[in-house]
Amino acid sequence: MSHIMNRLTRQHMAASRRRTLVTILGVIVSVAMIAAVSIGAASFKNMFQQMAMQDSGYWHAMLSDITAEQAARLEKDDNVENLFLSRELMYGRLADGMIQNEEKPYLYVMEYDKKAFEGMSLKLVEGRFAENAQELVIPRHLLTNGKAELAVGDTLTVTLGRRYVEYAGAEREYLGQRDAYLGGTETDESGEEAPAEQFEEAETRTYTIVGIVERPGNSQEGYYAPGYSAYTFLDSDALSPEETVNARLFLHKVNTKLYDQVKELAADAGVPTEGLSYNDDVLMYYGVSGYRDFVWTIRAMELILIAIIMVGSVSLIYNSFAISITERSKQFGMLSSVGATRKQKRNAVLYEGGVIGGIAVPLGLLFGCLGMAVTFRIVRSLLSSANGAEVPLRICVSLPTLLVATGFSVLTIFLSAYLPARRASRISAMEAIRQTQDIRLTRKAVRTPRIVRWLFGLPGEIALKNLKRNRKRYRAMVFSLLVSLVLFTTVGSYVYYVTNMYMMSADGSLPAISVYFDTQTDDPELFSQLCAVNGIRQGGAYDLCTMSLEISSAVAKPLLTEEAVEMRCRQFRRWGWEEERIREYRKKMESGNTGLDTGVSIELILMDDDAYAAYAEKVGAKEAPEGMFGGILVNWGRTNSAGALMEAPMLSVSAGETLRLAYVEREYEYDEKEGTERERIVLSQEIPVYLAAETKELPFGSTYFSVTGSVGLYLPKSQWKELGGQLPEALRDSVITNYYFSVEEDEDEAVEEEMETILTARNAGEYSLYNRIASARADRQMLLAISIFAYGFIALISLICVANLCNTISTSFALRRREFAMLKSIGMEPRVFRRMIRFESLLYGVKALLYGIPLSLLLTYGLYRTFTHGDIYTPFTLPWRIYGIGVAAVLLVVFIAMSYSSRKIKDESIVEGLKSEIE
């Protein structure tokens, strides 16, 4: 009997070619999208893994201080794809005065074998890598930061040795790259000066410099490391079996069992695990290390997208099987009468699902892979330039990825077919022959309001009664439209808000190129050289005090404005403060007795005198009294308030007043009884500042704009120098220099390159050159790439929904042939018939919009709240264009589907229609 049932199923599928083909196409699109999501997630994870390896090296685990013989055993293990060797030689001292950075006075010489130079991601700037033990590769920041006058081809004599510190009554403590330079200025817990570090000389070597590399990543050389990384050659073939080295392993398979696997691998090779360490910066992107947020985020997004695809797909495939059951109900009844069991009838429907899946799943996987390959080819260059690294986005198709996609696809088909299969198994012979199982209605169930007939006439009333009579089919079509509308508007809103965030952050008034120094730099000649670069329109400079000042004393009136208090309370609420604590803060601020606890600090920005004078004239600043600091206060805050952009003055002050600021030091004591830390404020010094002007306007080049936690105070540099003796030393030493330039369009890359040349030639020290135009260009490219993925996704999921709709409507019309023939037989004119169909399609669209628009609005507002959770805010505005397109598309799709289906039956013979047995 099962063989007969399967044969009848195949015959029925062949007879219903159009419906079967639409179902197969829908499943192919569904499987292709599930495969695309799985492949995309795997590909993006791989890209981030490669980016992390560019910084920290192509390795997963390292075994330190093992013998060369043990390293050879490790390399033979089947799970070890690559192994390279290195050895920390020693610290190296150069001739006095050669390195001019007092906090970083050493070389840190390491030996790398041939594989290690490539495996540790060293980027050559000039020359080549070392090929013997007499050659040396130095880092570029030895020249720029250390101001060492060295070049490729120079001979360098290095005194090798070890750093150590010796405390009274204790043994020598040897120091490494993670220990900052101890020049004798540090203090211990008792407040006494700690001993300075010493250098234990071991030997002297002479090297020939053969190459210069970029500064290694922070994971290889921390910013506080006392030695510049330098590299010589380690001949692994010449090592004796007993010599010790460090071996870094790159494994074939990386999973959550990696830690145990590496320990077992080490045990098999006879290697102790005391020196075992892992490349956590890379492993986090595999989801192996303790920092799994990134991977879980990718997985969550992957599962959400797959769930959305499954919802749309189940709707399509379920409807197809439900229609198939309706068509075959009489057949199932006849089979029941000759002995077919419920299990056999259920399996017949599941067999149909298996046939469709057997055809669609392989094709879906194939098209999913091809689609992602084409998409990646389009967006690869965009993402490569946007992520700031030379890491292309490569498609990653693996057996686990395909198995995941296949598993979800099979689950989708099974869920879609199971309920109709259960329904088919319950059809009795008598019900099927009479065809009463689908028609169980009362007069009340199909009753329509009188206003419908009054407004739309008899065609409208008949259309509404038909929807009430076929509620399941009606709801399926409405659901398909709703899903399509919600997905389109939600993804469109996502792109809309990303664009808005970008437009807000890419302020055209900000400088195109900025140079940030780590210290205060007073070099007019360097600034003039940079301003003279071809393509520079305007340049400026300011110094920023990186240590904020606080408002020191209470005033008779509330210090913060009402708007500022509201801004701060909203910010605290986003931080998770309890309402009681927020009420206490509000009450304290409104009372005027604030002291230091305002939550608002002062940022000091020092301008050149000429620039300050022009700025002062522009904002109408007054002269400061002699002997006092006088500055221009940018007293303006910005935050999101009640769903709108809120901008208001922060401090209740005005020009001509004196604001008392405080340089504050804090100490923290641990209370063992309460188990908490207590803060003790030490008010070191109070600084009165005369407010020459209070404004909202920023000077040219300033990237600073007040946020709810701080306001900006602009001062002339000359005044800072004259009155500098009144300031604490820590405050004076916290000043750094920034240069800013506006650049002609499309000349930013040439300008940036020439600036780099000038800064390097003048040994300008540690600096960061920031090209805002390039950053904005990368943002636009990333936005375009996101848009391509987002709109491609919504287009495909909408295709599933549209296919579902067309399939349901066309089949519904085919099943209603007898109904339409009866209406024609009693005299319904073609014009009236068309009105009925149009009204019916309008009801589908309106019902979908009534449910879909509120749901999409809720999701859109949720996206808005997510995007405005940080420091950049935008008013809540609806993307009306997206909603307009979505509404129009829903109505158009329904109208086209209805028109197409009705056109196919309009010329059908009434007699042929009345002969139809299926209602």
Side-chain angles (χ1 to χ4, degrees), residues 414-472:
F414 176 77
L415 291 175
S416 305
Y418 183 70
L419 291 178
R422 287 186 61 189
R423 180 185 167 197
S425 69
R426 294 172 181 173
I427 297 176
S428 68
M430 193 61 66
E431 282 180 336
I433 294 170
R434 291 178 177 177
Q435 296 191 10
T436 58
Q437 72 277 4
D438 291 327
I439 307 173
R440 295 176 182 175
L441 299 175
T442 62
R443 290 182 63 187
K444 185 177 180 181
V446 294
R447 185 177 298 163
T448 58
R450 291 183 180 180
I451 192 172
V452 174
R453 186 161 187 171
W454 183 69
L455 289 174
F456 302 102
L458 181 62
E461 184 176 9
I462 294 174
L464 185 57
K465 283 181 180 292
N466 178 68
L467 298 186
K468 288 176 174 288
R469 186 166 60 90
N470 298 284
R471 289 182 183 274
K472 290 183 178 179

Side-chain angles (χ1 to χ4, degrees), residues 556-594:
K557 61 181 179 179
L559 179 65
L560 298 184
T561 63
E562 292 181 9
E563 296 88 350
V565 173
E566 178 65 23
M567 289 181 192
R568 294 295 288 159
C569 290
R570 287 181 178 275
Q571 189 177 49
F572 295 150
R573 193 170 285 113
R574 284 196 299 274
W575 291 352
W577 280 28
E578 296 178 357
E579 288 298 321
E580 181 63 30
R581 186 179 177 188
I582 293 173
R583 282 194 292 271
E584 289 177 5
Y585 174 82
R586 187 188 294 274
K587 185 177 180 181
K588 188 174 183 180
M589 294 301 105
E590 292 173 351
S591 70
N593 183 20
T594 58

